[in-house]
């Protein structure tokens, strides 16, 4: 299957918009993602797929800590800011501790268990979940190349 057709096919798959972030020294590096998957409940394990230009990628290595924040439908601006390689505006992260987006729908804090190279140049970040919580609200979704929200009941 060619790349364009595959991308078109995948655009019909709705996923929650999320932010992967890590604290490295005094700075937080973050990237907006839609490729986040829980893969095991025992032990709790997740996978994030990152492209070669993801801001956060150079700061993830075996054992390093990162957080994934699933965004609430009101957090579209946060997704836009973290998708920008030179983000501008107030930080959505706390000054200390894990870089969890304030008021996120839910979050997990993980340590890198392994990094898997994928054909091409992407990387799969396998994370051992160490803690997490549910905030509340409704998810911000990515579907057909745009952010959207669940229909009202």
């Amino acid at each position: 299957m060619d790349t364009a057709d595959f991308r078109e096919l995948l655009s019909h798959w709705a996923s929650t918009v999320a932010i992967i972030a890590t604290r490295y020294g005094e700075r937080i590096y973050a990237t907006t993602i839609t490729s986040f998957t829980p893969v095991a409940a025992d032990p709790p394990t997740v996978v994030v797929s990152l492209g070669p230009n993801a801001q956060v990628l150079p700061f993830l290595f075996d054992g390093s800590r990162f957080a994934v924040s699933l965004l609430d439908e009101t957090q579209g601006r946060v997704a836009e800011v973290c998708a920008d390689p030179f983000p501008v505006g107030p930080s959505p992260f706390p000054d200390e501790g894990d870089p969890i987006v304030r008021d996120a729908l839910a979050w997990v804090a993980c340590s890198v268990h392994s990094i898997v190279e994928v054909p091409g140049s992407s990387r799969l970040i396998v994370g051992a979940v160490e803690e997490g919580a549910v905030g509340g609200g409704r998810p911000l979704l990515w579907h057909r190349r745009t952010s959207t929200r669940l229909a009202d009941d």
Side-chain angles (χ1 to χ4, degrees):
M1 178 172 235
D2 80 353
T3 302
D5 289 343
F6 187 60
R7 286 182 186 202
E8 176 60 24
L9 179 146
L10 290 180
S11 77
H12 294 268
W13 175 33
S15 58
T16 303
V17 179
I19 305 295
I20 181 173
T22 190
R23 192 177 295 276
Y24 188 80
E26 297 288 316
R27 191 153 177 219
I28 294 174
Y29 296 90
T31 301
T32 301
I33 59 171
T34 56
S35 185
F36 166 80
T37 306
V39 293
D42 188 17
T45 307
V46 298
V47 170
V48 175
S49 177
L50 295 174
N53 298 322
Q55 284 275 50
V56 71
L57 187 57
F59 306 98
L60 297 175
F61 44 86
D62 285 349
S64 66
R65 196 162 167 98
F66 68 93
V68 175
S69 302
L70 304 178
L71 297 184
D72 176 86
E73 68 183 359
T74 64
Q75 295 178 309
R77 178 71 181 128
V78 173
E80 291 172 9
V81 167
C82 290
D84 191 325
F86 301 102
V88 176
S91 173
F93 305 104
D95 292 336
E96 297 178 349
D98 290 314
I100 297 160
V101 173
R102 289 180 197 91
D103 301 320
L105 176 70
W107 59 269
V108 290
C110 308
S111 61
V112 174
H113 175 273
S114 57
I115 299 174
V116 179
E117 290 188 35
V118 178
S121 54
S122 293
R123 301 287 184 272
L124 298 179
I125 310 303
V126 180
V129 177
E130 296 178 2
E131 57 186 309
V134 174
R138 294 164 53 106
L140 177 65
L141 300 176
W142 186 253
H143 181 248
R144 299 192 74 184
R145 297 182 183 96
T146 190
S147 59
T148 188
R149 55 188 214 116
L150 292 174
D152 291 330
D153 297 334

